[in-house]
Amino acid sequence: MANKEMEVVKGLDLKRYMGRWYEIASFQSRFQPKDGVDTRATYTLNDDGTVHVLNETWSGGKRGYIEGSAYKVDPKSDEAKFKVKFYVPPFLPIFPVVGDYWVLHIDNDYQYALIGQPSRRYLWILSRNSHLDEEIYNELVEKAKEEGYDVSKLQKTPQSDTPPEEQGPQDTKGIWWFKSLFGK
């Protein structure tokens, strides 16, 4: 099943997709701290059609973040296949890290989404709200399974009832990034 081509959203309205999304669940990424909470992404459309990406997470009471950009793999295609580029380490951005960001499902109201990539090593369930109805969550897990994902790797992301609105104290040394290299 993992060999079949994944189906991605066609005709994604990029302007409607912009804004804040909360990570409800994901496959653990080496680029995020294992104890991260209140993880979220904020997308802003740039004048040139690319997307500014701000990923944030809180670890040990401090905000860690990384900024990057996203762009369509094929601007002429109506498929929601993007490349996302970040520079690491975040405190001294020199090395580009590029990954795939494919929108596998989005509801009609743009309130929740399933994001993956062709290797199936990464998967995210995102929501406009910090909490997602369990029935919808289970539907998204089922969709991921249908696309060949091993959903046993999916881990729910702890989200506060009142997510942080302020940026809060920052990890200015990039310690979270170094820890993530060692799987902590």
Side-chain angles (χ1 to χ4, degrees):
M1 186 167 200
N3 293 332
K4 80 169 187 121
E5 176 74 18
M6 282 192 280
E7 290 186 35
V8 299
V9 169
K10 290 184 171 51
L12 181 76
D13 184 338
L14 203 50
K15 287 181 182 174
R16 285 183 70 197
Y17 194 75
M18 296 299 98
R20 176 159 295 158
W21 290 89
Y22 294 91
E23 181 184 280
I24 302 302
S26 69
F27 283 5
Q28 185 67 42
S29 164
R30 67 178 184 181
F31 297 110
Q32 284 182 255
K34 284 188 176 181
D35 65 344
V37 300
D38 294 322
T39 303
R40 64 193 186 193
T42 305
Y43 305 121
T44 310
L45 193 58
N46 296 320
D47 291 338
D48 65 0
T50 62
V51 176
H52 175 263
V53 178
L54 170 63
N55 286 346
E56 302 171 280
T57 192
W58 275 257
S59 175
K62 291 191 176 182
R63 174 183 172 258
Y65 71 96
I66 191 164
E67 293 182 90
S69 61
Y71 53 92
K72 282 197 74 167
V73 172
D74 178 359
K76 294 177 182 154
S77 171
D78 70 340
E79 292 185 315
K81 293 181 179 179
F82 297 86
K83 289 283 187 187
V84 181
K85 182 177 1 181
F86 296 101
Y87 285 90
V88 294
F91 56 88
L92 181 65
I94 10 178
F95 302 107
V97 174
V98 179
D100 292 297
Y101 183 106
W102 289 12
V103 182
L104 304 177
H105 176 78
I106 190 156
D107 70 302
N108 291 334
D109 295 326
Y110 283 62
Q111 295 302 300
Y112 51 88
L114 181 66
I115 309 301
Q117 40 95 275
S119 73
R120 294 174 175 83
R121 284 191 308 214
Y122 298 105
L123 180 70
W124 295 269
I125 292 177
L126 304 178
S127 173
R128 294 290 189 179
N129 298 307
S130 59
H131 295 83
L132 184 64
D133 179 80
E134 198 65 23
E135 187 177 328
I136 293 170
Y137 175 81
N138 290 333
E139 288 173 16
L140 293 172
V141 169
E142 196 54 41
K143 285 183 186 303
K145 201 184 295 186
E146 290 168 10
E147 292 299 339
Y149 278 92
D150 176 2
V151 295
S152 69
K153 298 183 205 172
L154 204 53
Q155 297 177 7
K156 285 195 173 182
T157 305
Q159 293 284 350
S160 302
D161 286 333
T162 53
E165 286 304 318
E166 299 300 318
Q167 292 182 349
Q170 293 185 26
D171 173 5
T172 56
K173 298 181 179 90
I175 292 170
W176 70 271
W177 187 80
F178 278 117
K179 282 182 176 178
S180 70
L181 290 176
F182 301 105
K184 299 190 178 211

